[in-house]
Amino acid sequence: MLAEGGCEPVETRETAARPWEIDDELWARIEPLLPVVPRNPRRPGRKRLDSRRVLCGILFVLYTGIRWEFLPQELGFGSGMTCWRRLRDWNEAGVWQNLHELLLSELRAADLLDFSRAAVDSSHIRAMKGGPATGPSPVDRGKAGSKHHLIVEAHGIPLAAITTGGNRNDVTQLIPLIQAVPLIRGKRGQPRRRPKHLYADRGYDHEVYRDKVRRFQITPHIARRGTGHGSGLGVYRWVVEGAIALLHWFRRLRIRWEIRDDIHHAFVTLGCAVICWRRLRTALCRK
């Protein structure tokens, strides 16, 4: 629980709010995005569990990586199946993507987004149950795996993420990543979505894709294969590695347990939104 303004914690260290407990400021942004489900007056049935409590349950699974069926009932978040259904329904309604875009717009309004440059990278994770968007991982003895592809702005704030099979070449997702960046509002004038420069490692080294990047009026800075280290691009590229580390700090994203790729990607998008909210809340608290 946070004090008025959401900046100073009321609790002591021993009783501090858990990270999956949603503060009032974040809930004020999420609640209008949730679809309204009217009750049937003829068959009202059991009253739906409060959406805020269910979202806490979803975040609990995201943070801890616990299996849905093991979600502790004493927490009051509902059953794991209830949380899973809401995650699915809200994902189909575009809630997580809309939340991510909303927070990006607020970050831009607060001058916390830097579109002078962006960086891309990917990371392998094991897919324990297989499913769509998986493939034999070249870094895990050919076992089923997935890849998280991420593009961030100059400060490491995630702009978009894509989930593919673990055998997909990084460079094939370069253009889809650029196209996945949403229109980001927050200031007067046209929304922004394209950085001026793009940094990437040797996995994206291909002249055809350099030309494709230039068509978006973006200057590519991609390390070339066969050259030694010390190109200097790491000075700008490290932020995406830090963002991937933050994303995989959520235990549910370290290993893919979901067979359905849309459910797993819902967690990825929600994780990106949480990272954006942390940046925004920290900046608001400093003012």
Side-chain angles (χ1 to χ4, degrees):
M1 181 178 180
L2 298 178
E4 184 178 356
C7 295
E8 296 298 332
V10 174
E11 301 89 344
T12 63
R13 177 180 291 272
E14 291 75 12
T15 61
R18 307 300 193 266
W20 50 81
E21 295 177 356
I22 305 170
D23 59 67
D24 293 337
E25 287 198 349
L26 179 57
W27 179 245
R29 291 164 169 81
I30 296 176
E31 188 176 21
L33 303 177
L34 300 180
V36 178
V37 180
R39 298 188 71 188
N40 187 338
R42 295 183 178 181
R43 296 180 180 179
R46 183 182 299 176
K47 186 178 180 181
R48 284 171 62 89
L49 190 64
D50 178 67
S51 295
R52 185 168 181 173
R53 302 303 300 167
V54 174
L55 182 53
C56 288
I58 293 172
L59 289 172
F60 184 86
V61 174
L62 176 64
Y63 274 96
T64 65
I66 194 172
R67 293 171 62 175
W68 290 107
E69 58 267 32
F70 295 158
L71 183 65
Q73 294 297 295
E74 57 269 23
L75 294 176
F77 299 154
S79 68
M81 200 66 240
T82 296
C83 294
W84 184 91
R85 290 194 189 100
R86 298 283 184 95
L87 175 68
R88 176 201 62 192
D89 295 343
W90 290 342
N91 183 58
E92 292 175 354
V95 172
W96 313 126
Q97 182 62 32
N98 291 338
L99 175 62
H100 187 203
E101 293 179 17
L102 172 65
L103 295 174
L104 286 174
S105 296
E106 292 194 36
L107 285 166
R108 187 185 177 208
D111 290 324
L112 296 175
L113 286 186
D114 184 354
F115 278 92
S116 64
R117 63 181 183 271
V120 297
D121 204 351
S122 70
S123 179
H124 287 268
I125 61 168
R126 181 175 293 184
M128 300 302 293
K129 298 181 179 180
T134 64
S137 175
V139 298
D140 194 15
R141 296 171 291 178
K143 295 182 179 180
S146 293
K147 265 187 179 182
H148 293 153
H149 304 264
L150 195 65
I151 180 171
V152 303
E153 50 80 70
H155 299 135
I157 296 175
L159 300 176
I162 294 176
T163 302
T164 68
N167 57 334
R168 294 299 299 274
N169 196 306
D170 286 352
V171 73
T172 63
Q173 302 306 308
L174 182 56
I175 302 305
L177 269 177
I178 295 174
Q179 294 174 330
V181 177
L183 291 172
I184 302 175
R185 296 171 174 81
K187 291 188 175 183
R188 296 182 63 181
Q190 293 184 347
R192 290 294 304 272
R193 70 184 307 178
R194 301 284 184 254
K196 295 181 179 179
H197 301 268
L198 183 70
Y199 291 83
D201 61 20
R202 291 168 178 78
Y204 299 87
D205 180 25
H206 200 293
E207 289 302 324
V208 171
Y209 285 92
R210 281 189 175 89
D211 292 338
K212 290 182 178 181
V213 171
R214 294 188 184 100
R215 294 174 190 172
F216 289 100
Q217 297 182 340
I218 300 174
T219 303
H221 302 271
I222 303 174
R224 295 188 178 275
R225 297 179 186 272
T227 60
H229 291 283
S231 63
L233 299 182
V235 175
Y236 304 107
R237 205 177 60 232
W238 69 270
V239 292
V240 67
E241 297 173 357
I244 289 175
L246 289 176
L247 199 62
H248 289 177
W249 186 80
F250 300 106
R251 290 180 180 270
R252 194 70 181 192
L253 298 181
R254 297 179 188 176
I255 298 176
R256 175 176 164 179
W257 294 99
E258 288 74 30
I259 297 177
R260 290 179 51 167
D261 58 330
D262 60 328
I263 299 297
H264 179 74
H265 193 68
F267 273 130
V268 174
T269 308
L270 179 57
C272 290
V274 172
I275 293 172
C276 291
W277 168 244
R278 290 174 183 166
R279 291 289 187 98
L280 181 62
R281 183 177 60 183
T282 300
L284 293 176
C285 290
R286 289 176 178 173
K287 292 184 178 180

